[in-house]
Amino acid sequence: MSNPNFSRRGAILAVAAILSTTSTLAFAATGSDAKPNLLSVTKDPGCGCCGAWADLAIEAGFEVEITEASDYVGMKRDAAVPENLWSCHTTRIGGYIVEGHVPFAAITQLLDQRPDISGIAVPGMPAGSPGMGGGVEATAEVIAWGGIAGDGRAFPLDG
């Protein structure tokens, strides 16, 4: 003989488990993995070269969202960018920090290789880098930091 209360309680628990799993999956899909090519750029409101870099990022196939922040030092410290690597804008993508006018090929390589580092940077605002007179294919010296890169090593990482 079956107990109708047990069956009803079992059914309610099963539905609750399904709803919980579904809502957890929906929440996870809104995270950084939901848009793996999304560059979240934080920049000073008055900086034009940051906008030029963002426009080139779109041309390179990335999605871009821009947030303006007047607190330059706070923006860098919030992202834990070492002071010697600071540039004009700070970007987040795929769990990494991308600081400054980083070439798009380096960002693609970072996301493909997924090294154990905090981020990559092009310190300062070098002429000819993407957004600083250089186009989508422009290059610049890129520095990695954190994790296996320590305080800073050339990127791509050499063994």
Side-chain angles (χ1 to χ4, degrees), residues 48-76:
C49 65
C50 301
W53 185 85
D55 289 343
L56 290 171
I58 293 167
E59 189 177 326
F62 292 94
E63 292 183 61
V64 175
E65 70 178 15
I66 296 176
T67 302
E68 295 188 341
S70 297
D71 182 6
Y72 178 83
V73 172
M75 171 178 32
K76 305 306 172 188

Side-chain angles (χ1 to χ4, degrees), residues 27 69 86 90 104-105 132:
F27 177 76
W86 287 4
T90 302
F104 304 107
M132 290 296 298

Side-chain angles (χ1 to χ4, degrees), residues 17-109:
I18 290 169
L19 290 174
S20 174
T21 301
T22 303
S23 64
T24 300
L25 291 174
F27 177 76
T30 63
S32 63
D33 291 338
K35 292 188 174 187
N37 276 348
L38 177 63
L39 292 166
S40 297
V41 181
T42 305
K43 69 176 210 62
D44 182 273
C47 189
C49 65
C50 301
W53 185 85
D55 289 343
L56 290 171
I58 293 167
E59 189 177 326
F62 292 94
E63 292 183 61
V64 175
E65 70 178 15
I66 296 176
T67 302
E68 295 188 341
S70 297
D71 182 6
Y72 178 83
V73 172
M75 171 178 32
K76 305 306 172 188
R77 290 196 175 140
D78 285 347
V81 178
E83 191 169 344
N84 63 316
L85 300 179
W86 287 4
S87 184
C88 54
H89 58 272
T90 302
T91 302
R92 297 174 190 270
I93 185 169
Y96 293 102
I97 302 298
V98 175
E99 178 69 8
H101 293 268
V102 174
F104 304 107
I107 298 170
T108 299
Q109 185 173 7

Side-chain angles (χ1 to χ4, degrees), residues 114-134:
R114 307 231 24 105
D116 178 20
I117 62 174
S118 299
I120 56 177
V122 170
M125 298 166 63
S129 62
M132 290 296 298

